[in-house]
Amino acid sequence: MKCLVVVAHPLPDSLCANLATHVIADLQQSGHEVMVDDLYRESFEPALTWGERQSYYLPAYKPGGDVNAAMDRLLSADMLVLVFPTWWFGFPAILKGWFDRVWSPGIAFDHTETREAIAPRLTGLKHAIAVTTLGSPQWVDLLVMRRPVYRQIKYAILRSCAPQCRFKMLSLYRSEHVTPERVTDFKREISQALAQYPAATTAPAPAAAAER
Amino acid sequence: MPLTLWRTTVNVLVVLAHPLRDSLCHRLAEHVSDELRWAGHDVVIEDLYARDFDPALSSIERRRYNAPDYRAEGDMRRPIERLLAAEAIVLVFPTWWFGLPAILKGWIDRAWVPDIAFDHHQDVSVLKPLLGNLRHLVAITTLASPWWLDWFLLGRPVAKMFKYALLPSCAVDCRFRMLSLYRSDRIGETRIRGFTARISQVLSGLH
């Protein structure tokens, strides 16, 4: 499968960067084709621009030139893996900006004439996995906040742009108190989730199978 | 309408996060600042797009986040001063994908930081609120979604973030109000006027 891994942490020695490295290695080992959008390393500009907002509802949406490549990668992906820290129970601004600017009209969805709903365009996207670290304990996320990031990805974004996409979220809670054992367990959980996806969507790739 | 003479002056920070000057959000923000000034409050406008605000928490900021001496980047000095001086904050923004626009999320990520908005050095799991001045937070938002989708399917993620995550950690005595204009992409003048009247009513309670 063609996998797009989107990473959104400013520090290369962070837990998130470590998890992203694990994800990428795992996917490559299974024979997937991996594309990486490391938003901080690319100095991704998160703010939807004047021109983008101005043309948002026009027949010809005019995205900034700096997001063209990111749009192509999103369009070609069969699988999306997001790796990010949860800050204030939301995406880091740079990742929110990736959704605001890359999941745009004509790419991720089309406006419909009635504007009652939007029409999905990412019909090739089959799987999405969100890997996140957060300082909060699990009960606050589940019981008080009711999993806002999970709901946002599943019900707001994927439901509108890729309704066929299966979504799984893996959260490492209390990540500021994390022990090496918990990181190892969490990586195992990630590997298990990723292992459910065969490298080829129709038939298994013989080369990749032989390597293993 | 309130009488200016009988009210105390409140330092209000209005944070605006829409790229288009002719947007509904700009119109609402203008209404907000007119109302507040008429009522005699001190109003500072933080127009994030006009300031070309950089939303991404930097590597230096992240590196120092858990260090004893958090240090913001130079471009954050004025936004942080303004946050510290605010007794009331009014946010005016469009809701995109049931979340804040990136530029506004970045304002929170970068201004509501350790030693400014909260203290976490004793125990990172319990934040000690530091924004003792802040008494009101009013979030005014426009969104294309119908209300029931926000309430029942999404569970009001934006309101929850302010009410249960940000304010309990940074400003415990702060009163939170959320005013959402649903289906904002297909409404007429009557509903906009109804919404601005609601805004005026809420703002008249600032003291």
Side-chain angles (χ1 to χ4, degrees), chain A residues 2-83:
Chain A
K2 271 192 130 176
C3 304
L4 173 60
V5 181
V6 180
V7 191
H9 199 289
L11 300 179
D13 55 353
S14 61
L15 180 54
C16 272
N18 181 327
L19 296 173
T21 308
H22 176 78
V23 165
I24 294 162
D26 235 46
L27 290 171
Q28 281 170 342
Q29 232 169 33
S30 312
H32 294 291
E33 187 184 334
V34 181
M35 305 171 280
V36 181
D37 259 316
D38 185 335
L39 300 177
Y40 269 97
R41 195 175 295 174
E42 294 162 15
S43 300
F44 184 85
E45 287 285 347
L48 190 83
T49 66
W50 181 89
E52 287 166 345
R53 186 62 204 177
Q54 204 263 333
S55 61
Y56 211 82
Y57 292 100
L58 298 181
Y61 175 70
K62 296 193 194 84
D66 58 322
V67 289
N68 282 335
M71 285 171 168
D72 288 342
R73 285 191 282 274
L74 175 64
L75 282 171
S76 70
D78 302 306
M79 179 171 167
L80 172 67
V81 186
L82 305 167
V83 187

Side-chain angles (χ1 to χ4, degrees), chain A residues 123-201:
Chain A
T123 46
L125 189 64
K126 295 174 193 75
H127 304 285
I129 298 180
V131 175
T132 194
T133 60
L134 61 171
S136 143
Q138 185 169 19
W139 66 270
V140 176
D141 188 34
L142 295 184
L143 301 177
V144 181
M145 302 301 292
R146 305 288 181 110
R147 309 186 77 197
V149 176
Y150 172 84
R151 283 177 190 238
Q152 194 182 7
I153 298 173
K154 187 176 168 95
Y155 298 123
I157 298 170
L158 292 175
R159 186 173 148 274
S160 315
C161 303
Q164 75 291 340
C165 182
R166 304 281 301 270
F167 175 57
K168 189 170 174 65
M169 179 132 185
L170 302 172
S171 305
L172 182 62
Y173 294 101
R174 301 182 64 90
S175 59
E176 271 136 359
H177 296 278
V178 86
T179 57
E181 292 75 31
R182 277 186 57 213
V183 175
T184 310
D185 286 349
F186 189 60
K187 282 184 178 169
R188 195 174 304 131
E189 207 184 319
I190 294 172
S191 297
Q192 277 166 3
L194 296 177
Q196 293 177 8
Y197 309 111
T201 43

Side-chain angles (χ1 to χ4, degrees), chain A residues 10-11 13 40 46 48 50 53 87-89 91 93 96-97 99-100 103 115-116 145 151-152 156 161 177, chain B residues 19-20 49 55 57 59 62-63 96-98 100 102 105-106 108-109 124 153-154 160-161 183 185-186:
Chain A
L11 300 179
D13 55 353
Y40 269 97
L48 190 83
W50 181 89
R53 186 62 204 177
W87 291 340
W88 296 120
F89 287 95
F91 296 124
K96 182 54 176 29
F99 282 112
D100 288 348
W103 291 59
R115 282 216 201 156
E116 276 303 314
M145 302 301 292
R151 283 177 190 238
Q152 194 182 7
C161 303
H177 296 278
Chain B
L20 302 183
Y49 269 98
L57 189 83
S59 56
R62 182 62 212 176
R63 179 89 56 208
W96 291 339
W97 296 122
F98 286 95
L100 304 178
K105 182 56 173 33
I108 291 169
D109 289 347
V124 280
L153 192 58
L154 272 300
K160 276 199 182 132
M161 194 268 277
R183 302 204 151 220
D185 58 337
R186 73 198 83 157

Side-chain angles (χ1 to χ4, degrees), chain B residues 10 12-16 25-46 90 92 140 196 199-200 203 206:
Chain B
V10 179
V12 189
L13 176 63
V14 178
V15 182
L16 170 59
C25 278
H26 267 77
R27 175 174 162 186
L28 297 175
E30 237 162 71
H31 175 78
V32 165
S33 65
D34 289 350
E35 282 292 283
L36 292 170
R37 288 195 172 117
W38 190 85
H41 299 307
D42 282 334
V43 181
V44 173
I45 309 229
E46 188 86 87
V90 182
V92 187
I140 298 172
T196 52
I199 293 174
S200 304
L203 295 182
L206 296 196

